[in-house]
Amino acid sequence: MKKRSLGLFVLLLFLIVQVSAETISKLNIKGYILDEDGNPLIGALISNKDKTASTVAQDGGYFEMKVAEKKPILQVDYVGFNTKLHEVVRPDDVQVIVLSSNNELAEVVVTERGMGAMKRRRSVVVTEDITSKALTRAACCNLSESFETNPSVDVAYSDAVTGAKQIQLLGLSGTYVQMLTENFPNMRGAASLYGLDYIPGPWMQSIQVSKGAASVKNGFESVTGQINVEYKKPKIADPFFINLFYGSAGRYEGNAVGAVELNDNLSTALFVNYYNEKQSHDKNHDTFLDMPKMESFSAMNRWHYQTPNFVSQSGVKVLTDRRTSGQTHHTVGPDFQGDPFTIDLKTNRVEAFTKNGFIMDQDRNESIAIIASGSYHDQKSNYGKNIYNIYETNVYGSLLYESEFGEKHKLTAGMNFNWDRYTQRGNVVDIHCPQWKDLDETTGGAYAEYTWTPVEKFTVLGGIRVDYSSLHKWFVTPRLHVKYDATEWMHLRASAGKGYRSAFVFPENSYLLASNRKFDIASNLKQESAWNYGLSAQFFIPIGDEELTLSAEWFYTNFDNQVVVDMDSDSHEVSFYNLQRRSSSSVFQFEASYPLFRGFTILGAYRWMDVNCTYGDKKLRKPLTSRYKGLITASYETPLRKWQFDFTTQFNGGGRMPLADKEKPLWNNSFGSFVQLSAQITKRFHHWSIYAGGENLTNYKQKNPIIGWENPSSDDFDATMVWGPTMGRKFYVGIRYNIPKF
């Protein structure tokens, strides 16, 4: 009996040793899947040769996979591309695998590459990836112009004179969207107004748009979602890229990106941008420039260092931006009485970041990351006789731990720290808020996020964080996401979570100084907080050799507290106060895309928005916001990819204007719907391409967007009543040249 027990023990010990040896011997292979132009192929299937292990390429074409072989051979498959076998010679190195297109399946290539944007099938969170391919389908010279062909994100002018733009997601302004670059918070406070112009399009590798309650890893500020910008990576970027652009409105712009791989471990890249648009335009003859005269320069240098167990990315960016608008002596003429109403904005900005990851256990994907970033924003501005200067400093730090516990469990935990300091100067501050000349907020917290996949078709992602603010004390942020793949062609998602943010009135709303409204600011402004709930369904229906993609989404945002920007209670005043009753946003969106024939893909979307808030004692629709938006985009690429044709139509629904003075109404109660068209043609050569296009081809313009322009010193003057384009049709041409790495 003892001998039998001893034998069973030895056998069991042998099996444990064998399993442990197999586990220990597994290699963790990492790398990128790209096409011949260096564009990431998100969704590519990577497997080892005997199909015992597989994974799918994620953001930027990145993948990780464990294999048992000592010298594995990977097989990479992607629809429209030739299957490739890749021998892993040095497993510790980052593998870069380039697929060549299959011209026999050119119509399928367009399905994934022609539109350049796709919704993630595997992500638990509702996320859309906008690739570098999509960024070339329109006049994408900066981030604000990157969403012209996107059905989810709107970009609107805040006023008719400064060029300030705000993103709108789920019917709410961009302050409720957490803006990230390289997955750390950025473009906060004063930079939120003009920051969309600070990121050139040719610098970007991809954009990720997440809707609703997002991950708690990046903080608590996401109310309607997150938008993350990924810059081109020195390790995989082309050695040289240049883009030159000219617009019919007098816009000149140049971008250059150069990347150098110094050795197997170290690489660097330099980014340069220059922008000039200094022509005067006053097509409606209201003596005010239709758009500001602008000039900016920015440069960034980033570094990438990697060893088998350590990855580090660091960078620094500098920017200078000059804007002049309003009236000039040229526009008002010699008979004008008094001084012209001019607007000048001068901005200097510096950013720096470092991200460092330490791989502790490759088998468990166990790692620790340390992220730190900082920025200094110096903005001096005058609006007529109003002077407002803002000096903003931000410091951010994050400690992140991740580990997998088998195939069904993953834990992410960490801590965040954020410090914001606003130093405000000028007669605007002296008059309206002398007690808030210097504002500070320090926030620190800890979080944990757990991913559970009990079966392959069902995933639960739950997160919670606890933070302490020097202004608002303790608060808790819970978030939950669920994904269920009912079938291979139907994916269902649900989400719920809370978001918070601190409101800083003048740094985030200084564009309102482009009016003579009086400011009434409550002294006890509280932290904003809201719950967001979401449901979505995606359908991938095979029709013949192609696939029809359908999606339906509903998101509901309900505020517990909101700092209300009230322009309705008094037509000559803007008030800021805490929400008194209800404020909510309900958004439905339907979307469909399909490759109709070889090389041609079409996408259609419709979004309906019901955004309400209590202004004073009245519950009203949010002003200056369209009730609906429709979008049709079409892209055709010839079989050999020599020519590409892109066409976009936007249908913008009407909406409500702020309430006008009853005795002396200077504007209508509502605005109507309008349609905008844009188109672009691209001709590709071996290493370069030329493109030409037009924007707002319907030539639709908002008539007289500036109220009281005849007398800018009167109480009636207001340049913030903007709901549509202030410039008519514009044409452009450009050239791109690159020296490919692969």
Side-chain angles (χ1 to χ4, degrees):
M1 190 72 177
K2 290 183 179 179
K3 290 182 178 180
R4 181 179 299 175
S5 299
L6 180 61
L8 290 173
F9 175 77
V10 171
L11 178 61
L12 180 61
L13 181 63
F14 174 76
L15 291 175
I16 293 174
V17 170
Q18 283 293 104
V19 172
S20 300
E22 290 180 6
T23 302
I24 294 173
S25 64
K26 282 188 176 182
L27 299 174
N28 192 38
I29 307 300
K30 301 180 180 181
Y32 294 90
I33 309 298
L34 308 173
D35 67 9
E36 295 164 301
D37 296 327
N39 297 312
L41 297 179
I42 302 170
L45 176 65
I46 306 101
S47 59
N48 59 347
K49 202 170 183 181
D50 59 6
K51 305 296 184 180
T52 58
S54 64
T55 189
V56 174
Q58 301 296 323
D59 295 347
Y62 181 76
F63 73 92
E64 291 187 17
M65 186 175 68
K66 298 187 182 73
V67 294
E69 302 94 330
K70 293 183 178 179
K71 294 183 178 181
I73 296 177
L74 304 183
Q75 178 175 315
V76 185
D77 295 283
Y78 194 68
V79 177
F81 289 80
N82 295 312
T83 297
K84 183 167 185 175
L85 296 179
H86 175 80
E87 183 178 359
V88 180
V89 179
R90 299 177 60 181
D92 291 337
D93 287 353
V94 175
Q95 312 295 311
V96 179
I97 305 174
V98 181
L99 302 188
S100 58
S101 61
N102 182 350
N103 289 329
E104 295 179 1
L105 294 177
E107 71 280 7
V108 183
V109 174
V110 175
T111 302
E112 297 296 336
R113 303 175 63 212
M115 304 302 286
M118 61 199 76
K119 294 182 181 294
R120 295 189 192 173
R121 298 194 185 192
R122 297 172 62 90
S123 174
V124 184
V125 182
V126 178
T127 304
E128 181 176 347
D129 290 286
I130 303 173
T131 68
S132 56
K133 179 73 173 179
L135 298 176
T136 63
R137 295 185 56 228
C140 173
C141 289
N142 55 54
L143 181 60
S144 70
E145 298 164 331
S146 303
F147 304 103
E148 291 185 4
T149 60
N150 187 276
S152 301
V153 181
D154 296 327
V155 177
Y157 282 99
S158 300
D159 61 83
V161 287
T162 68
K165 300 175 185 176
Q166 286 198 28
I167 276 180
Q168 292 182 350
L169 182 65
L170 304 186
L172 296 172
S173 65
T175 52
Y176 299 108
V177 183
Q178 187 176 30
M179 299 298 298
L180 310 169
T181 55
E182 301 280 331
N183 278 310
F184 60 82
N186 203 346
M187 290 178 285
R188 305 161 52 82
S192 64
L193 290 178
Y194 306 99
L196 298 178
D197 292 337
Y198 296 165
I199 301 180
W203 291 15
M204 295 185 286
Q205 177 175 292
S206 62
I207 304 171
Q208 294 82 47
V209 180
S210 301
K211 296 183 184 178
S215 169
V216 296
K217 292 190 296 185
N218 297 315
F220 52 84
E221 293 181 313
S222 170
V223 175
T224 59
Q226 291 178 341
I227 296 179
N228 177 57
V229 176
E230 292 286 335
Y231 291 112
K232 292 181 177 179
K233 306 295 186 288
K235 185 75 175 177
I236 61 174
D238 290 336
F240 182 71
F241 172 85
I242 189 169
N243 178 46
L244 301 176
F245 176 96
Y246 171 72
S248 60
R251 177 175 178 173
Y252 302 86
E253 183 161 355
N255 286 278
V257 180
V260 178
E261 196 166 1
L262 300 174
N263 54 47
D264 291 341
N265 299 328
L266 184 64
S267 55
T268 185
L270 178 65
F271 304 73
V272 178
N273 167 268
Y274 176 72
Y275 173 92
N276 185 308
E277 190 167 8
K278 302 183 74 173
Q279 284 190 12
S280 297
H281 300 277
D282 182 20
K283 298 294 180 64
N284 61 354
H285 306 293
D286 63 358
T287 73
F288 279 79
L289 296 177
D290 296 333
M291 58 187 298
K293 294 190 288 185
M294 297 182 285
E295 184 178 22
S296 70
F297 172 81
S298 58
M300 182 175 70
N301 179 221
R302 66 176 302 173
W303 292 78
H304 178 100
Y305 179 78
Q306 181 166 337
T307 64
N309 295 308
F310 175 70
V311 178
S312 177
Q313 299 186 66
S314 301
V316 61
K317 177 184 174 183
V318 295
L319 174 138
T320 177
D321 183 66
R322 302 290 183 266
R323 299 172 184 234
T324 302
S325 189
Q327 296 174 310
T328 67
H329 289 285
H330 173 71
T331 58
V332 298
D335 298 329
F336 182 80
Q337 300 295 320
D339 296 325
F341 184 95
T342 59
I343 297 176
D344 290 300
L345 295 102
K346 300 178 181 179
T347 302
N348 297 304
R349 182 175 174 86
V350 179
E351 301 174 13
F353 73 91
T354 180
K355 303 191 297 182
N356 304 277
F358 304 87
I359 301 172
M360 303 167 63
D361 188 331
Q362 291 190 354
D363 294 328
R364 295 173 53 182
N365 276 335
E366 185 177 20
S367 62
I368 291 179
I370 299 174
I371 301 173
S373 68
S375 65
Y376 178 73
H377 188 92
D378 175 336
Q379 180 178 306
K380 299 180 177 67
S381 57
N382 71 272
Y383 300 78
K385 296 180 180 180
N386 291 327
I387 299 173
Y388 177 70
N389 300 332
I390 174 73
Y391 311 93
E392 178 184 349
T393 304
N394 172 258
V395 176
Y396 172 82
S398 177
L399 176 65
L400 172 70
Y401 170 80
E402 288 188 344
S403 182
E404 294 179 359
F405 302 92
E407 297 181 354
K408 300 181 179 181
H409 309 276
K410 180 180 179 180
L411 174 66
T412 301
M415 296 181 292
N416 301 119
F417 168 84
N418 189 80
W419 176 61
D420 286 307
R421 179 173 179 80
Y422 300 92
T423 301
Q424 304 178 96
R425 297 292 184 266
N427 58 14
V428 171
V429 182
D430 296 335
I431 295 172
H432 298 290
C433 52
Q435 71 276 27
W436 296 331
K437 284 188 175 182
D438 299 312
L439 295 171
D440 279 273
E441 184 182 26
T442 302
T443 309
Y447 65 88
E449 191 171 74
Y450 174 65
T451 305
W452 179 45
T453 310
V455 294
E456 185 178 355
K457 296 182 177 181
F458 185 73
T459 303
V460 178
L461 172 65
I464 190 168
R465 61 178 301 126
V466 180
D467 292 274
Y468 179 84
S469 164
S470 60
L471 296 179
H472 307 292
K473 309 308 177 185
W474 293 98
F475 55 98
V476 179
T477 308
R479 290 175 185 172
L480 178 68
H481 297 266
V482 178
K483 179 175 184 285
Y484 174 60
D485 298 343
T487 65
E488 290 184 1
W489 53 269
M490 182 171 68
H491 298 174
L492 307 175
R493 293 177 175 86
S495 65
K498 200 167 190 179
Y500 299 84
R501 67 176 300 273
S502 297
F504 298 98
V505 172
F506 275 111
E508 298 171 347
N509 299 279
S510 61
Y511 71 93
L512 291 172
L513 293 170
S515 73
N516 285 334
R517 286 177 178 260
K518 297 178 181 179
F519 285 76
D520 182 15
I521 306 172
S523 59
N524 62 336
L525 296 181
K526 299 178 182 179
Q527 186 181 39
E528 294 188 290
S529 63
W531 285 92
N532 183 280
Y533 309 91
L535 295 172
S536 70
Q538 285 181 281
F539 304 89
F540 308 96
I541 304 172
I543 300 178
D545 295 331
E546 309 295 350
E547 183 178 75
L548 171 66
T549 302
L550 302 174
S551 68
E553 302 169 353
W554 171 76
F555 286 94
Y556 179 71
T557 306
N558 185 46
F559 283 88
D560 295 329
N561 183 62
Q562 184 180 26
V563 175
V564 178
V565 182
D566 184 356
M567 302 176 70
D568 284 279
S569 298
D570 189 329
S571 60
H572 297 95
E573 184 177 273
V574 54
S575 301
F576 299 84
Y577 51 81
N578 295 312
L579 181 67
Q580 298 173 1
R581 295 182 184 176
R582 290 184 60 83
S583 178
S584 64
S585 168
S586 185
V587 178
F588 291 88
Q589 180 168 315
F590 305 93
E591 189 176 330
S593 65
Y594 184 71
L596 290 177
F597 55 86
R598 181 179 180 178
F600 182 83
T601 300
I602 189 169
L603 178 147
Y606 177 83
R607 172 162 34 95
W608 178 83
M609 297 172 287
D610 183 17
V611 186
N612 296 280
C613 185
T614 304
Y615 300 100
D617 58 353
K618 298 179 181 179
K619 183 181 178 182
L620 302 169
R621 280 184 175 268
K622 182 182 176 183
L624 304 173
T625 301
S626 297
R627 291 186 177 91
Y628 69 85
K629 179 179 179 179
L631 182 75
I632 297 176
T633 67
S635 182
Y636 173 69
E637 192 174 49
T638 57
L640 297 178
R641 302 181 62 229
K642 297 295 185 181
W643 290 89
Q644 181 167 328
F645 304 86
D646 294 287
F647 182 83
T648 301
T649 306
Q650 290 186 14
F651 304 90
N652 299 278
R656 185 182 73 85
M657 295 290 289
L659 298 179
D661 191 324
K662 293 182 179 180
E663 297 180 359
K664 184 185 175 183
L666 297 176
W667 58 82
N668 296 325
N669 293 327
S670 62
F671 62 90
S673 59
F674 60 96
V675 179
Q676 289 181 282
L677 303 178
S678 63
Q680 179 178 284
I681 301 174
T682 304
K683 175 68 171 78
R684 298 189 183 95
F685 301 91
H686 185 53
H687 290 306
W688 58 286
S689 62
I690 56 175
Y691 57 96
E695 302 175 284
N696 193 15
L697 296 177
T698 55
N699 201 34
Y700 186 86
K701 293 176 288 186
Q702 179 182 345
K703 294 181 179 179
N704 302 320
I706 300 177
I707 307 299
W709 59 267
E710 302 90 343
N711 185 7
S713 62
S714 72
D715 293 340
D716 295 332
F717 174 73
D718 194 336
T720 64
M721 299 288 100
V722 178
W723 48 264
T726 61
M727 287 284 291
R729 66 172 63 93
K730 293 187 289 186
F731 299 95
Y732 61 88
V733 295
I735 182 171
R736 303 183 184 99
Y737 174 79
N738 73 305
I739 300 176
K741 182 173 184 178
F742 308 105

